[in-house]
Amino acid sequence: MLVGLTGNSGTGASTVAGFWREAGATVCSLDHAGHRLMNKARTRKALGMDPNLTGEAARKLLRERAFTDPAVLARINGTMHPVMSRWAGYCAARLRNLPGIHVLEGALIFEMGMAAVFDVTVAVVDTPERAFLRIFQRDGVTRAAMQGRWRNQLPPASKAERADLVIDNSGSIEVLKEVSLSVYGSLVKMEAHRGEQNT
């Protein structure tokens, strides 16, 4: 079963993905795919950057500018999103019919029009304030940059409406783990039912 796991920046989707990986799921990250793209000199050149920069230096340079300068963000999206969409489609084609739970985690699954490639979509939601605290602690970004990220993403309520399943991350990390594993158990049952239908 192919599962699309999404959530606005800082809402905890990556944490949920980690719980599911520990429970036995295969997990791929769109963010990591984007990092690999940024490690390529031709990607940095296409973004108007010094191709001799390291991928990490390029990401750091773009981290603040991308979400406060619409022109920079448009260039990034135009350069990277088509490649990432093709990569996601390739993963879907390879994984969909394999046994087990295969998860593709990314903040822009709905925004990039990728929902149709998944058997099930799951959205993780939380408040902007709690999400900002997580992003600040993880990346050290400013509130303005965080708000810029969210402007490039559907509101949590819209993601929840579009998703097949929703995980509310408004409680403690312990509660999040409990809820995440409960949802994962539901996915395992769905996968088992699909397997029975196909035999």
Side-chain angles (χ1 to χ4, degrees):
M1 174 182 287
L2 191 62
V3 180
L5 175 63
T6 190
N8 293 71
S9 297
T11 55
S14 295
T15 302
V16 172
F19 293 146
W20 288 0
R21 182 184 288 110
E22 292 174 359
T26 300
V27 178
C28 297
S29 167
L30 271 176
D31 285 345
H32 292 167
H35 291 175
R36 288 194 294 272
L37 278 175
M38 194 62 74
N39 286 337
K40 298 180 182 297
R42 65 175 179 268
T43 301
R44 298 192 292 274
K45 185 176 181 180
L47 292 172
M49 306 180 73
D50 181 352
N52 294 315
L53 285 173
T54 65
E56 177 58 32
R59 289 194 299 274
K60 184 176 181 181
L61 187 63
L62 290 174
R63 194 168 287 147
E64 291 283 336
R65 293 177 56 202
F67 298 104
T68 56
D69 185 335
V72 172
L73 181 60
R75 181 180 294 177
I76 293 172
N77 290 348
T79 300
M80 300 187 70
H81 284 187
V83 180
M84 293 170 72
S85 292
R86 287 196 296 273
W87 176 81
Y90 172 78
C91 289
R94 293 289 300 271
L95 296 173
R96 175 175 290 108
N97 295 320
L98 294 179
I101 306 297
H102 306 283
V103 180
L104 180 61
E105 183 257 321
L108 300 178
I109 284 174
F110 291 124
E111 292 84 347
M112 293 171 65
M114 294 166 47
V117 307
F118 300 105
D119 299 307
V120 179
T121 54
V122 181
V124 183
V125 299
D126 201 354
T127 65
E129 186 60 34
R130 285 168 55 90
F132 168 69
L133 289 175
R134 292 192 192 97
I135 294 175
F136 179 77
Q137 292 169 355
R138 184 187 68 198
D139 300 335
V141 302
T142 64
R143 185 176 294 274
M146 180 271 192
Q147 291 170 337
R149 290 186 188 188
W150 276 51
R151 281 196 298 271
N152 192 47
Q153 301 170 9
L154 290 169
S158 296
K159 289 183 186 288
E161 288 177 0
R162 298 182 183 211
D164 298 303
L165 301 169
V166 178
I167 294 175
D168 185 341
N169 187 18
S170 59
S172 66
I173 187 68
E174 292 79 13
V175 170
L176 177 62
K177 184 172 185 177
E178 181 180 351
V179 174
S180 298
L181 293 180
S182 176
V183 171
Y184 184 74
S186 297
L187 295 173
V188 170
K189 290 178 181 178
M190 293 168 65
E191 166 66 5
H193 181 65
R194 280 163 44 94
E196 292 171 357
Q197 288 183 324
N198 293 330
T199 57

